[in-house]
């Protein structure tokens, strides 16, 4: 039995302090149990990242490690290798040196693949190393964007075939636990490919939408929907059956909305997919929401607060009691903000309880309770029971009705810090919304300590960002001063392979933080209208969503179009500029 500690790349990992000897033994045991490689076990257990493992392997094998996130590969090089060869072997052409093609692979010992490439391409091949997930992501990104090609989808082989898909979901393919490979039923592979591609393109959800003569597949990337494929209408039933089998919901039910969850592995990632199916006039429509734990592990500092708002938020979450509300539409990042706050407050000396509908992400060290309406376990009932558990901090998924709001207020007045969300357009509207629910103004004023509205804007791609000068019409419309223009760094993405030619990659929050101080509290007591409270909040130092967005434009983080897409300019913004 080989000693794992004598493995070349393992010695490098231990020497560089990435892992300990005990962790190597632990990973080796897992590798033996699962009959997988030691490198994969290290990554699966979280002892090392795939990049750290790959760098150590590259050093041990005297090979070059390539960070594909920071390398631009010209289209002329991409064209040297057919897409089918790249995908089938998980390899990527990198550069051409003296008629020798440099390719990126993920296994330094895979001599067979290199020989195969030499034969297919009829030229010498020299290898470099990168993680498999990065190679696959780059293949999707680069081959989908080579101009002049048909850029066939990876789903094309299924759309062109005449197989009767309704007969391909057999007993072996229904467990949802099996490995999907080339011997699997075509529909099983099709759904797996859809999920894999969505993960590699950083999509947040997959939409399967039926129409009269086709099925449309769309991915939401950075908050914007992109059409990816059109499948023949005859495949709808089989796709939905496969999705329902994976999410363990009734495949015979076609008239009612259904919800489920899928646990799935994509490469080294363990993903949760939240599935929603509703009947439409052309058949059932499915949306799979990808819940990636890595996306939620965001520190408060990375959320996108301005320096002043960051200090304010840090002070707020350390209060002993009171209600902190986060408002905004669905998909505006409220959950991420609240989880970042809880992660920062999560210490052994604090008890944190959450009531969520549903629990989207599981947080270690925090007690999470899921709403279950079918047995009467709603938000108000959970909060009532929570107070008997002596928590320090409570998170209520949403203040939906007067009873939930009243229980939240009661919790804050009895010495608990309460976080929750509301669906309103801006921060001051939350006050009116709570009073409209039937909660007396004096209770709102005495319990709410801050309200924060937020939206998400796409950030300019770091690889293709370039300076530009906005037109005079835009400057006049926004109302920028000469001083602001002089100190600004206006940027725009040209569009590259890294960002799928959009010019944007990733998102950041824009915020409107209203602190409920004595003056605002007095106005709530007097039942003042939202515009009056809003004007006072701005006078007291609140930056509006629009202003915070424009500040990020001036810093070269996002564009005017993005800010206008998610936040509107209000009368108060115009007064504020004047």
């Amino acid at each position: 039995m080989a000693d794992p500690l004598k493995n070349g790349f393992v010695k490098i990992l231990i020497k560089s302090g990435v892992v300990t000897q005990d962790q190597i033994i632990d990973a080796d045991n897992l590798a033996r149990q699962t009959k997988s490689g030691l490198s994969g076990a290290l990554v699966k257990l979280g002892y090392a990242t795939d990049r750290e493992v790959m760098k150590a392997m590259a050093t041990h094998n005297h090979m070059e490690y390539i960070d594909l996130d920071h390398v631009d590969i010209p289209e002329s090089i991409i064209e040297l290798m057919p897409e089918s060869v790249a995908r089938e072997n998980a390899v990527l052409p990198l550069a051409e040196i003296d008629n020798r093609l440099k390719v990126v692979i993920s296994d330094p010992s895979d001599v067979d693949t290199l020989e195969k490439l030499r034969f297919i391409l009829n030229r010498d091949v020299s290898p470099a190393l990168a993680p498999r997930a990065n190679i696959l992501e780059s293949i999707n990104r680069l081959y989908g964007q080579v101009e002049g090609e048909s850029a066939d989808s990876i789903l094309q082989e299924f759309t062109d075939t005449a197989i009767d898909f309704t007969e391909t979901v057999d007993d072996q393919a229904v467990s949802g636990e099996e490995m999907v490979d080339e011997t699997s039923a075509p529909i099983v592979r099709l759904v797996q490919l859809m999920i894999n591609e969505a993960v590699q393109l950083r999509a947040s959800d997959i939409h399967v939408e039926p129409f009269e003569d086709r099925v449309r597949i769309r991915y939401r990337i950075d908050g914007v929907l992109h059409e990816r494929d059109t499948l023949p209408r005859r495949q709808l039933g089989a796709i939905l059956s496969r999705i329902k089998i994976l999410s363990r919901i009734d495949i015979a039910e076609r008239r009612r909305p259904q919800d489920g969850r899928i646990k799935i592995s994509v490469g080294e990632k363990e993903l949760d997919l939240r599935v929603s199916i509703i009947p439409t006039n052309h058949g059932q429509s499915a949306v799979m929401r990808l819940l990636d734990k890595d996306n939620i592990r965001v520190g408060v500092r990375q959320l996108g607060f301005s320096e002043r708002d960051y200090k304010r938020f840090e002070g707020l979450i350390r209060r002993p009691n009171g209600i902190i509300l986060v408002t905004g539409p669905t998909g505006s990042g409220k959950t991420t903000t609240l989880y970042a706050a809880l992660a920062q407050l999560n210490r052994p000396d604090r008890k944190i309880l959450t009531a969520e509908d549903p629990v989207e992400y599981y947080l270690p060290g925090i007690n999470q309770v899921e709403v279950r309406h079918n047995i009467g376990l709603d938000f108000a009932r959970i909060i009532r029971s929570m107070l008997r558990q002596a928590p320090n901090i409570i998170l209520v998924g949403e203040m939906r009705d007067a009873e939930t709001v009243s229980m939240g207020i009661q919790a804050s007045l009895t010495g608990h810090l309460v976080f929750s969300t509301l669906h309103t357009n801006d921060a001051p509207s939350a006050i009116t919304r709570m009073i409209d629910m039937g909660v007396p103004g004096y209770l709102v004023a005495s319990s709410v300590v801050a309200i924060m509205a937020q939206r998400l804007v796409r950030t300019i791609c770091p690889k293709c960002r370039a300076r530009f000068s906005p037109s005079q019409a835009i400057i006049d419309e926004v109302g920028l001063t000469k001083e602001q223009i002089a100190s600004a760094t206006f940027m725009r993405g040209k569009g590259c392979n890294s960002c799928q030619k959009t010019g944007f990659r990733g998102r950041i929050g824009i915020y409107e933080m209203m602190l409920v101080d004595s003056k605002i509290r007095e106005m709530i007591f007097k039942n003042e209208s939202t515009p009056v409270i809003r004007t006072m909040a701005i006078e007291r130092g609140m930056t509006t969503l629009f202003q915070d967005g424009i500040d990020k434009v001036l810093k070269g983080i996002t564009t005017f179009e993005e800010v206008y897409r998610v936040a509107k300019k209000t009368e108060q913004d115009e007064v504020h500029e004047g």
Side-chain angles (χ1 to χ4, degrees), residues 164-354:
D164 182 356
F165 284 92
T166 55
E167 295 176 7
T168 58
V169 182
D170 55 20
D171 292 336
Q172 285 184 314
V174 300
S175 71
E177 306 297 328
E178 80 285 0
M179 291 294 288
V180 178
D181 57 30
E182 61 273 8
T183 62
S184 302
I187 204 68
V188 174
R189 290 159 56 204
L190 170 61
V191 173
Q192 183 72 30
L193 276 173
M194 263 166 46
I195 295 168
N196 286 4
E197 188 181 42
V199 170
Q200 283 153 9
L201 291 173
R202 302 178 303 105
S204 58
D205 37 57
I206 304 166
H207 296 249
V208 180
E209 301 162 316
F211 295 99
E212 194 172 354
D213 56 347
R214 65 191 178 110
V215 179
R216 181 170 70 179
I217 308 292
R218 292 196 290 175
Y219 299 153
R220 190 183 296 279
I221 302 167
D222 291 335
V224 177
L225 278 167
H226 297 268
E227 185 165 338
R228 185 67 181 113
D229 277 282
T230 298
L231 305 180
R233 165 80 196 185
R234 61 189 164 77
Q235 294 182 8
L236 177 65
I239 290 172
L240 287 169
S241 293
R242 178 61 186 162
I243 292 170
K244 286 181 177 186
I245 287 164
L246 285 171
S247 47
R248 291 175 168 79
I249 53 183
D250 184 2
I251 62 170
E253 178 58 70
R254 295 181 180 181
R255 297 169 301 163
R256 292 181 188 160
Q258 293 170 286
D259 294 303
R261 285 185 95 118
I262 301 173
K263 276 194 182 299
I264 204 161
S265 296
V266 177
E268 301 293 342
K269 282 190 173 186
E270 295 267 328
L271 287 179
D272 255 359
L273 272 69
R274 210 168 84 200
V275 179
S276 168
I277 294 175
I278 61 165
T280 70
N281 57 339
H282 290 300
Q284 294 172 93
S285 172
V287 175
M288 292 181 278
R289 185 160 187 208
L290 281 71
L291 304 173
D292 185 352
K293 294 183 185 73
D294 294 343
N295 294 344
I296 210 73
R297 288 177 189 151
V298 179
V300 173
R301 177 55 94 177
Q302 283 79 51
L303 291 172
F305 288 120
S306 65
E307 195 56 40
R308 187 178 65 162
D309 282 350
Y310 171 71
K311 285 175 181 167
R312 284 177 166 184
F313 191 71
E314 281 279 287
L316 283 169
I317 64 176
R318 280 168 172 70
R319 287 180 61 103
N321 65 300
I323 295 178
I324 296 170
L325 289 173
V326 180
T327 81
T330 303
S332 58
K334 301 188 296 292
T335 304
T336 305
T337 299
L338 291 173
Y339 278 8
L342 291 187
Q344 190 145 327
L345 297 170
N346 187 15
R347 294 210 317 254
D349 61 337
R350 292 194 179 111
K351 182 165 177 98
I352 301 175
L353 281 165
T354 76

Side-chain angles (χ1 to χ4, degrees), residues 11-28:
K11 288 179 181 175
I12 293 166
L13 285 173
I14 294 171
K15 192 176 179 182
S16 56
V18 174
V19 294
T20 63
Q21 291 190 6
D22 288 344
Q23 288 174 332
I24 293 295
I25 291 162
D26 202 8
D28 187 52

